[in-house]
Amino acid sequence: MPTAAKSIEAEIIKLREEVLHHEELYYVHDRPEISDVEYDALLGRLRALEEEHPEFQTPDSPTLRVGGRPAEGFAEYVHRRAMLSLENSYNIEDLRAFDERCRKLADGRPFEYVAELKIDGLSLSSHYENGVLVRGVTRGDGRVGEDVTQNVRTIRSVPLRLKVAEEGDTEVRGEAYLSRKAFERINAEREEAEEAKFANPRNAAAGTIRQLDPKVVARRKLDLFAYDVLRGERKPFATHWEALEWLERAGFTVNPHRAKCTDIEGVIEFCNRMEAERDRLEYEIDGVVVKVNSTALQDEFGATAKAPRWAIAYKYPARQATTQVESIVVQVGRTGALTPVANLTPVQLAGTTVARATLHNEDEIKRLGVKIGDWVNIEKSGEIIPKVLNVVASRRTGEERPFRFPKKCPVCGGVVSRPEGEVVSRCVAADCPAQLKGRLLHYASRRAMRIEGLGDALAEQFVQKKMVRDVADLYALKLEDVAGLERMAEKSASNLLAQIEASKARDLPQLVYGLGIRHVGERTAALLARHFKSLEALKGATVEQIDDIHEIGLTVAESVRDWFDDEGNAALCERLRERGVRTELAGGGVGAQSDEAFAGKQFVLTGRLETLTRDEARALIEARGGRVTSTVSKKTDYVVAGEESGSKLDKAQALGLNVIDEARLKEMLG
Ligand code: IVH
């Protein structure tokens, strides 16, 4: 090979190593050392070199993660070793019976169990040849699955190359899932795009892995917890526990919640402990999987046609309940969409009291055939509002009353329109107070301008008392007006005003998102903001110019144009600018108002501060152009340590970072 080519190959190899290293820090250890921009630059350089020199492209290059060409369909793949399912158990007695059976089979020999979480996703098998990922397959019916290699390559917690030396065929099995956060983001985007939402993260994950376009898969951010490894058809380790440890060393994410137990009592304790933790996890689980630790015993116990005898799933109680529909009300959201909600006789469901469930829309009410007074089965999954599954027809008495979907807006009496082919009915009145309240709440929401403390009750009062007619009016609120409201002490009023003030410095993507333009979700808002760099430029853009942006389509472009063509909206933008809201992209060079000491600096807050809450401190730092992150790394510029600072402070000291106290922070803030 000529020397020039050799050095290019060497650079590609080096870049690949670097990208992989930073990906692992970010995705597996949650401990980034470089910024997203620096990471993108590395990946961009690598992609450019590989495109110029396809001869150096390898199947384990991180550039393949962003998705290749759409597939025509998926090929079938026969699993070398069947992907069995698990026997289910629903109570402690079942677990004890399982233990009895295992002890009988072990015939007096001592053994251990491993208890781990049963992740609510779908199982995937990843195949490695000499340590390089060559294939990804769904479970399918357990015997034959589908080859979804391109999609599996987009999952960051599936290493493209194992980090430990491996020869021959290695197969790693695990559960692919979507975090609650990723799920909510996907559904929010689907709502914006007026596409049907996924019912739960598992359905969303299953729908995602079978997506034909890997670029869509890459954006959705599937994740995976690995739980098994095979070499050829054999389990390579003496115990399951060792297999999990090896998986971690090989670069996979193994769920940290697991326990090695010497008897079934330890397993039961783990099941109970995790049930209490369940809602705090970032992903959904539906139970615990209990496995015999010794692989020799596993082989000896064997399997039935469907499930191994050495493992069992302990399923948590279903999050379903039966209750009665007391009334049906219709809520009006910021886009005017009418959403029917069932008021229920309160019922206990997975640790919380449920008194309402969404009925989605008029068609859903028809589909369910639900009437007022009906008994219904409801289900709760994760943080999402419970939904009505079906009507218990056998409990009808004849007293139930049908519900008629309103022809007028239940809040303002305005005209309701439901265009042909759409499921959503909308109030089209321009001055509907329910829409205004929805717009305020959206503008103030975390992903938009993040005005903490501006919740439902307050927005309601602002609208009712006509203190606020659009989002720009928020910036004209006075302390005495706010302090005079119901349940508003002077301190909370001044906190709120500080939050509103701090929101002026939010960046353009958050502002564009906060405006609530139809079809413009968080992602689209960021694309628009980065492309046009100022609200003024966006306002002046033609449909063609917007449509030209990669990843933005005509529907969105027209919707944006329509929004700015509305005189009221154009005037609103002007008033936001006049009142000091940043309408230009920070770092875009134009008018980015920031402060030397804070601009671009990374802060980590830890421990309890004396006079400021964490949110206030964050708002103040961000208002000056600083960034507040939650993990301490080499990139952290300041660690603000309060009372009882724990491991973050230790880590900051170990890294020799700049640690300051609250007094010093206030000095810097002036
Ligand atoms: S072990 C033969 N471990 O549950 C062993 N499965 O109901 C079978 N699952 O198809 C798999 N978390 O999709 C195992 N920690 C875990 C799991 C897990 C979720 C899923 C998996 C399997 C299903 C069986």
Short mmCIF file of all heavy atoms in Angstrom, two decimals, residues 185-231:
data_model
loop_
_atom_site.label_atom_id
_atom_site.label_comp_id
_atom_site.label_asym_id
_atom_site.label_seq_id
_atom_site.Cartn_x
_atom_site.Cartn_y
_atom_site.Cartn_z
N ARG A 185 -40.62 11.44 24.28
CA ARG A 185 -40.19 12.34 23.21
C ARG A 185 -40.76 11.88 21.87
O ARG A 185 -41.27 12.67 21.09
CB ARG A 185 -38.66 12.39 23.16
CG ARG A 185 -38.13 13.61 22.44
CD ARG A 185 -36.72 13.39 21.94
NE ARG A 185 -36.67 12.22 21.10
CZ ARG A 185 -35.79 11.24 21.24
NH1 ARG A 185 -34.87 11.32 22.14
NH2 ARG A 185 -35.83 10.19 20.45
N ILE A 186 -40.70 10.57 21.62
CA ILE A 186 -41.22 10.04 20.36
C ILE A 186 -42.71 10.33 20.25
O ILE A 186 -43.18 10.80 19.22
CB ILE A 186 -40.97 8.51 20.28
CG1 ILE A 186 -39.47 8.25 20.18
CG2 ILE A 186 -41.70 7.90 19.09
CD1 ILE A 186 -39.11 6.78 20.38
N ASN A 187 -43.43 10.10 21.32
CA ASN A 187 -44.87 10.34 21.26
C ASN A 187 -45.20 11.82 21.10
O ASN A 187 -46.14 12.17 20.40
CB ASN A 187 -45.57 9.76 22.48
CG ASN A 187 -46.17 8.40 22.17
OD1 ASN A 187 -46.11 7.93 21.03
ND2 ASN A 187 -46.75 7.76 23.17
N ALA A 188 -44.40 12.67 21.73
CA ALA A 188 -44.64 14.11 21.57
C ALA A 188 -44.44 14.48 20.10
O ALA A 188 -45.24 15.23 19.52
CB ALA A 188 -43.71 14.91 22.47
N GLU A 189 -43.41 13.92 19.50
CA GLU A 189 -43.15 14.21 18.08
C GLU A 189 -44.28 13.67 17.20
O GLU A 189 -44.69 14.31 16.25
CB GLU A 189 -41.82 13.60 17.64
CG GLU A 189 -40.65 14.43 18.07
CD GLU A 189 -39.31 13.82 17.72
OE1 GLU A 189 -39.27 12.86 16.91
OE2 GLU A 189 -38.30 14.30 18.25
N ARG A 190 -44.76 12.48 17.58
CA ARG A 190 -45.84 11.89 16.78
C ARG A 190 -47.12 12.71 16.92
O ARG A 190 -47.88 12.86 15.98
CB ARG A 190 -46.07 10.44 17.19
CG ARG A 190 -44.93 9.55 16.74
CD ARG A 190 -45.12 8.13 17.19
NE ARG A 190 -46.05 7.39 16.37
CZ ARG A 190 -45.72 6.75 15.25
NH1 ARG A 190 -44.49 6.81 14.81
NH2 ARG A 190 -46.62 6.07 14.58
N GLU A 191 -47.30 13.26 18.11
CA GLU A 191 -48.49 14.08 18.31
C GLU A 191 -48.41 15.33 17.44
O GLU A 191 -49.36 15.69 16.76
CB GLU A 191 -48.61 14.46 19.78
CG GLU A 191 -49.88 15.22 20.06
CD GLU A 191 -50.20 15.27 21.54
OE1 GLU A 191 -49.29 15.06 22.37
OE2 GLU A 191 -51.37 15.52 21.86
N GLU A 192 -47.22 15.95 17.45
CA GLU A 192 -47.01 17.14 16.61
C GLU A 192 -47.30 16.80 15.15
O GLU A 192 -47.90 17.57 14.42
CB GLU A 192 -45.55 17.60 16.67
CG GLU A 192 -45.09 18.13 18.00
CD GLU A 192 -45.62 19.51 18.30
OE1 GLU A 192 -46.14 20.16 17.37
OE2 GLU A 192 -45.54 19.93 19.46
N ALA A 193 -46.82 15.63 14.73
CA ALA A 193 -46.97 15.24 13.33
C ALA A 193 -48.34 14.64 13.07
O ALA A 193 -48.62 14.20 11.96
CB ALA A 193 -45.87 14.25 12.96
N GLU A 194 -49.16 14.64 14.12
CA GLU A 194 -50.51 14.06 14.03
C GLU A 194 -50.49 12.61 13.56
O GLU A 194 -51.28 12.18 12.73
CB GLU A 194 -51.42 14.96 13.20
CG GLU A 194 -51.64 16.28 13.94
CD GLU A 194 -52.47 17.29 13.21
OE1 GLU A 194 -53.23 16.90 12.34
OE2 GLU A 194 -52.35 18.48 13.55
N GLU A 195 -49.52 11.86 14.08
CA GLU A 195 -49.46 10.42 13.83
C GLU A 195 -49.96 9.71 15.08
O GLU A 195 -49.89 10.27 16.17
CB GLU A 195 -48.01 9.99 13.56
CG GLU A 195 -47.49 10.48 12.23
CD GLU A 195 -45.98 10.31 12.10
OE1 GLU A 195 -45.29 10.21 13.13
OE2 GLU A 195 -45.52 10.29 10.97
N ALA A 196 -50.42 8.47 14.90
CA ALA A 196 -50.93 7.72 16.05
C ALA A 196 -49.82 7.51 17.06
O ALA A 196 -48.69 7.18 16.69
CB ALA A 196 -51.47 6.38 15.58
N LYS A 197 -50.12 7.72 18.34
CA LYS A 197 -49.09 7.57 19.36
C LYS A 197 -48.94 6.10 19.75
O LYS A 197 -49.86 5.31 19.60
CB LYS A 197 -49.47 8.39 20.60
CG LYS A 197 -49.46 9.88 20.30
CD LYS A 197 -49.24 10.67 21.55
CE LYS A 197 -50.54 10.98 22.25
NZ LYS A 197 -50.33 11.76 23.47
N PHE A 198 -47.75 5.75 20.25
CA PHE A 198 -47.53 4.39 20.74
C PHE A 198 -48.18 4.27 22.12
O PHE A 198 -48.14 5.20 22.92
CB PHE A 198 -46.04 4.09 20.86
CG PHE A 198 -45.36 3.91 19.54
CD1 PHE A 198 -44.38 4.80 19.12
CD2 PHE A 198 -45.68 2.84 18.72
CE1 PHE A 198 -43.74 4.63 17.90
CE2 PHE A 198 -45.05 2.66 17.50
CZ PHE A 198 -44.08 3.56 17.09
N ALA A 199 -48.74 3.08 22.40
CA ALA A 199 -49.45 2.89 23.66
C ALA A 199 -48.49 2.83 24.84
O ALA A 199 -48.80 3.29 25.93
CB ALA A 199 -50.27 1.62 23.61
N ASN A 200 -47.31 2.25 24.65
CA ASN A 200 -46.35 2.13 25.75
C ASN A 200 -44.95 1.95 25.18
O ASN A 200 -44.78 1.71 23.98
CB ASN A 200 -46.74 0.95 26.66
CG ASN A 200 -46.93 -0.31 25.85
OD1 ASN A 200 -46.09 -0.64 25.01
ND2 ASN A 200 -48.02 -1.02 26.07
N PRO A 201 -43.92 2.08 26.04
CA PRO A 201 -42.55 2.00 25.53
C PRO A 201 -42.26 0.66 24.84
O PRO A 201 -41.48 0.63 23.89
CB PRO A 201 -41.70 2.15 26.79
CG PRO A 201 -42.56 2.89 27.75
CD PRO A 201 -43.96 2.45 27.46
N ARG A 202 -42.87 -0.42 25.32
CA ARG A 202 -42.57 -1.71 24.68
C ARG A 202 -43.07 -1.73 23.23
O ARG A 202 -42.34 -2.12 22.33
CB ARG A 202 -43.21 -2.86 25.46
CG ARG A 202 -43.00 -4.21 24.79
CD ARG A 202 -43.39 -5.37 25.68
NE ARG A 202 -44.52 -5.05 26.54
CZ ARG A 202 -45.80 -5.14 26.18
NH1 ARG A 202 -46.11 -5.56 24.98
NH2 ARG A 202 -46.74 -4.82 27.03
N ASN A 203 -44.30 -1.27 23.02
CA ASN A 203 -44.81 -1.22 21.65
C ASN A 203 -43.95 -0.31 20.79
O ASN A 203 -43.69 -0.60 19.63
CB ASN A 203 -46.24 -0.67 21.62
CG ASN A 203 -47.22 -1.69 22.12
OD1 ASN A 203 -46.82 -2.77 22.54
ND2 ASN A 203 -48.49 -1.36 22.09
N ALA A 204 -43.52 0.79 21.38
CA ALA A 204 -42.70 1.73 20.62
C ALA A 204 -41.37 1.08 20.25
O ALA A 204 -40.88 1.23 19.13
CB ALA A 204 -42.47 3.00 21.43
N ALA A 205 -40.79 0.32 21.19
CA ALA A 205 -39.51 -0.34 20.92
C ALA A 205 -39.69 -1.40 19.84
O ALA A 205 -38.89 -1.51 18.91
CB ALA A 205 -38.95 -0.96 22.20
N ALA A 206 -40.78 -2.18 19.96
CA ALA A 206 -41.02 -3.25 18.99
C ALA A 206 -41.27 -2.65 17.60
O ALA A 206 -40.77 -3.16 16.60
CB ALA A 206 -42.19 -4.11 19.44
N GLY A 207 -42.01 -1.54 17.57
CA GLY A 207 -42.28 -0.88 16.29
C GLY A 207 -40.99 -0.32 15.70
O GLY A 207 -40.79 -0.31 14.49
N THR A 208 -40.12 0.13 16.58
CA THR A 208 -38.89 0.76 16.12
C THR A 208 -37.93 -0.26 15.51
O THR A 208 -37.33 -0.01 14.47
CB THR A 208 -38.22 1.50 17.30
OG1 THR A 208 -39.13 2.48 17.78
CG2 THR A 208 -36.94 2.17 16.87
N ILE A 209 -37.78 -1.40 16.16
CA ILE A 209 -36.78 -2.36 15.68
C ILE A 209 -37.20 -2.91 14.31
O ILE A 209 -36.37 -3.33 13.51
CB ILE A 209 -36.54 -3.51 16.70
CG1 ILE A 209 -35.17 -4.14 16.48
CG2 ILE A 209 -37.61 -4.59 16.64
CD1 ILE A 209 -34.02 -3.30 16.88
N ARG A 210 -38.49 -2.85 14.00
CA ARG A 210 -38.95 -3.35 12.70
C ARG A 210 -39.12 -2.22 11.67
O ARG A 210 -39.71 -2.42 10.62
CB ARG A 210 -40.23 -4.16 12.85
CG ARG A 210 -40.05 -5.38 13.77
CD ARG A 210 -41.15 -6.40 13.68
NE ARG A 210 -41.14 -7.11 12.41
CZ ARG A 210 -41.99 -6.88 11.41
NH1 ARG A 210 -42.89 -5.94 11.51
NH2 ARG A 210 -41.92 -7.58 10.30
N GLN A 211 -38.61 -1.07 12.00
CA GLN A 211 -38.62 0.05 11.06
C GLN A 211 -37.70 -0.28 9.90
O GLN A 211 -36.58 -0.73 10.11
CB GLN A 211 -38.02 1.28 11.76
CG GLN A 211 -39.01 2.24 12.28
CD GLN A 211 -39.65 3.02 11.17
OE1 GLN A 211 -39.03 3.25 10.13
NE2 GLN A 211 -40.88 3.41 11.37
N LEU A 212 -38.14 0.01 8.70
CA LEU A 212 -37.29 -0.31 7.55
C LEU A 212 -36.20 0.74 7.35
O LEU A 212 -35.18 0.47 6.73
CB LEU A 212 -38.14 -0.44 6.29
CG LEU A 212 -39.05 -1.68 6.31
CD1 LEU A 212 -39.99 -1.67 5.12
CD2 LEU A 212 -38.22 -2.96 6.30
N ASP A 213 -36.42 1.94 7.87
CA ASP A 213 -35.42 2.98 7.67
C ASP A 213 -34.55 3.14 8.92
O ASP A 213 -35.00 3.67 9.94
CB ASP A 213 -36.13 4.30 7.35
CG ASP A 213 -35.14 5.39 7.00
OD1 ASP A 213 -33.92 5.16 7.17
OD2 ASP A 213 -35.57 6.47 6.57
N PRO A 214 -33.31 2.68 8.85
CA PRO A 214 -32.45 2.73 10.04
C PRO A 214 -32.20 4.14 10.57
O PRO A 214 -31.85 4.32 11.73
CB PRO A 214 -31.15 2.07 9.60
CG PRO A 214 -31.24 1.88 8.15
CD PRO A 214 -32.64 2.05 7.70
N LYS A 215 -32.39 5.16 9.71
CA LYS A 215 -32.19 6.54 10.19
C LYS A 215 -33.25 6.88 11.23
O LYS A 215 -32.99 7.56 12.21
CB LYS A 215 -32.25 7.53 9.04
CG LYS A 215 -31.03 7.46 8.16
CD LYS A 215 -30.79 8.81 7.49
CE LYS A 215 -29.50 8.78 6.69
NZ LYS A 215 -29.54 7.79 5.61
N VAL A 216 -34.46 6.39 10.98
CA VAL A 216 -35.54 6.61 11.95
C VAL A 216 -35.20 5.89 13.25
O VAL A 216 -35.36 6.44 14.35
CB VAL A 216 -36.89 6.10 11.39
CG1 VAL A 216 -37.99 6.20 12.43
CG2 VAL A 216 -37.27 6.87 10.13
N VAL A 217 -34.66 4.69 13.12
CA VAL A 217 -34.30 3.91 14.30
C VAL A 217 -33.22 4.65 15.10
O VAL A 217 -33.32 4.79 16.32
CB VAL A 217 -33.79 2.51 13.90
CG1 VAL A 217 -33.49 1.68 15.14
CG2 VAL A 217 -34.82 1.80 13.04
N ALA A 218 -32.23 5.17 14.39
CA ALA A 218 -31.12 5.85 15.06
C ALA A 218 -31.63 7.03 15.89
O ALA A 218 -31.19 7.26 17.01
CB ALA A 218 -30.10 6.33 14.03
N ARG A 219 -32.60 7.75 15.34
CA ARG A 219 -33.13 8.92 16.05
C ARG A 219 -33.91 8.54 17.29
O ARG A 219 -33.99 9.31 18.23
CB ARG A 219 -34.09 9.68 15.12
CG ARG A 219 -33.41 10.64 14.21
CD ARG A 219 -34.31 11.82 13.91
NE ARG A 219 -35.53 11.45 13.23
CZ ARG A 219 -35.62 11.27 11.92
NH1 ARG A 219 -34.56 11.42 11.17
NH2 ARG A 219 -36.77 10.94 11.38
N ARG A 220 -34.50 7.35 17.28
CA ARG A 220 -35.38 7.00 18.39
C ARG A 220 -34.63 6.56 19.64
O ARG A 220 -35.20 6.45 20.70
CB ARG A 220 -36.34 5.90 17.96
CG ARG A 220 -37.29 6.40 16.89
CD ARG A 220 -38.63 5.81 17.07
NE ARG A 220 -39.52 6.18 16.01
CZ ARG A 220 -40.38 5.36 15.44
NH1 ARG A 220 -40.43 4.10 15.84
NH2 ARG A 220 -41.17 5.78 14.50
N LYS A 221 -33.35 6.24 19.49
CA LYS A 221 -32.51 5.93 20.65
C LYS A 221 -32.96 4.71 21.46
O LYS A 221 -33.29 4.82 22.65
CB LYS A 221 -32.38 7.16 21.56
CG LYS A 221 -31.81 8.37 20.85
CD LYS A 221 -30.92 9.15 21.75
CE LYS A 221 -30.17 10.29 21.13
NZ LYS A 221 -30.12 10.44 19.71
N LEU A 222 -32.95 3.58 20.79
CA LEU A 222 -33.17 2.33 21.50
C LEU A 222 -31.97 2.06 22.39
O LEU A 222 -30.86 2.51 22.11
CB LEU A 222 -33.26 1.17 20.52
CG LEU A 222 -34.59 0.87 19.84
CD1 LEU A 222 -34.38 -0.21 18.80
CD2 LEU A 222 -35.63 0.43 20.84
N ASP A 223 -32.19 1.31 23.44
CA ASP A 223 -31.11 0.95 24.34
C ASP A 223 -31.17 -0.55 24.57
O ASP A 223 -32.16 -1.18 24.17
CB ASP A 223 -31.30 1.70 25.65
CG ASP A 223 -30.03 2.40 26.05
OD1 ASP A 223 -28.97 1.79 25.89
OD2 ASP A 223 -30.12 3.54 26.51
N LEU A 224 -30.16 -1.12 25.20
CA LEU A 224 -30.22 -2.56 25.43
C LEU A 224 -29.52 -2.93 26.73
O LEU A 224 -28.45 -2.40 27.04
CB LEU A 224 -29.56 -3.30 24.26
CG LEU A 224 -29.58 -4.83 24.37
CD1 LEU A 224 -30.18 -5.47 23.13
CD2 LEU A 224 -28.18 -5.38 24.59
N PHE A 225 -30.16 -3.80 27.49
CA PHE A 225 -29.50 -4.42 28.63
C PHE A 225 -29.17 -5.85 28.23
O PHE A 225 -30.07 -6.61 27.85
CB PHE A 225 -30.41 -4.44 29.87
CG PHE A 225 -30.53 -3.10 30.54
CD1 PHE A 225 -31.77 -2.51 30.73
CD2 PHE A 225 -29.41 -2.43 31.01
CE1 PHE A 225 -31.89 -1.28 31.37
CE2 PHE A 225 -29.51 -1.21 31.65
CZ PHE A 225 -30.75 -0.62 31.82
N ALA A 226 -27.89 -6.22 28.31
CA ALA A 226 -27.49 -7.57 27.91
C ALA A 226 -27.71 -8.51 29.08
O ALA A 226 -27.51 -8.13 30.24
CB ALA A 226 -26.03 -7.56 27.50
N TYR A 227 -28.14 -9.76 28.81
CA TYR A 227 -28.32 -10.70 29.91
C TYR A 227 -27.82 -12.11 29.65
O TYR A 227 -27.96 -12.98 30.49
CB TYR A 227 -29.77 -10.72 30.40
CG TYR A 227 -30.83 -11.03 29.36
CD1 TYR A 227 -30.88 -12.27 28.73
CD2 TYR A 227 -31.78 -10.08 29.03
CE1 TYR A 227 -31.85 -12.55 27.79
CE2 TYR A 227 -32.76 -10.35 28.09
CZ TYR A 227 -32.79 -11.58 27.47
OH TYR A 227 -33.74 -11.85 26.54
N ASP A 228 -27.25 -12.35 28.48
CA ASP A 228 -26.76 -13.71 28.24
C ASP A 228 -25.70 -13.74 27.15
O ASP A 228 -25.71 -12.89 26.26
CB ASP A 228 -27.93 -14.62 27.83
CG ASP A 228 -27.71 -16.06 28.28
OD1 ASP A 228 -26.65 -16.33 28.89
OD2 ASP A 228 -28.59 -16.90 28.04
N VAL A 229 -24.79 -14.69 27.23
CA VAL A 229 -23.76 -14.84 26.19
C VAL A 229 -23.58 -16.33 25.85
O VAL A 229 -23.62 -17.19 26.73
CB VAL A 229 -22.42 -14.18 26.61
CG1 VAL A 229 -21.99 -14.61 27.98
CG2 VAL A 229 -21.30 -14.50 25.61
N LEU A 230 -23.39 -16.58 24.57
CA LEU A 230 -23.14 -17.95 24.10
C LEU A 230 -21.89 -17.94 23.22
O LEU A 230 -21.68 -16.98 22.46
CB LEU A 230 -24.30 -18.44 23.23
CG LEU A 230 -25.67 -18.59 23.88
CD1 LEU A 230 -26.73 -18.83 22.81
CD2 LEU A 230 -25.66 -19.75 24.87
N ARG A 231 -21.07 -19.00 23.36
CA ARG A 231 -19.99 -19.17 22.38
C ARG A 231 -20.39 -20.37 21.56
O ARG A 231 -20.55 -21.46 22.11
CB ARG A 231 -18.66 -19.43 23.08
CG ARG A 231 -17.78 -18.22 23.05
CD ARG A 231 -16.44 -18.42 23.69
NE ARG A 231 -16.09 -17.18 24.36
CZ ARG A 231 -15.57 -17.09 25.56
NH1 ARG A 231 -15.30 -18.17 26.24
NH2 ARG A 231 -15.30 -15.92 26.07
#
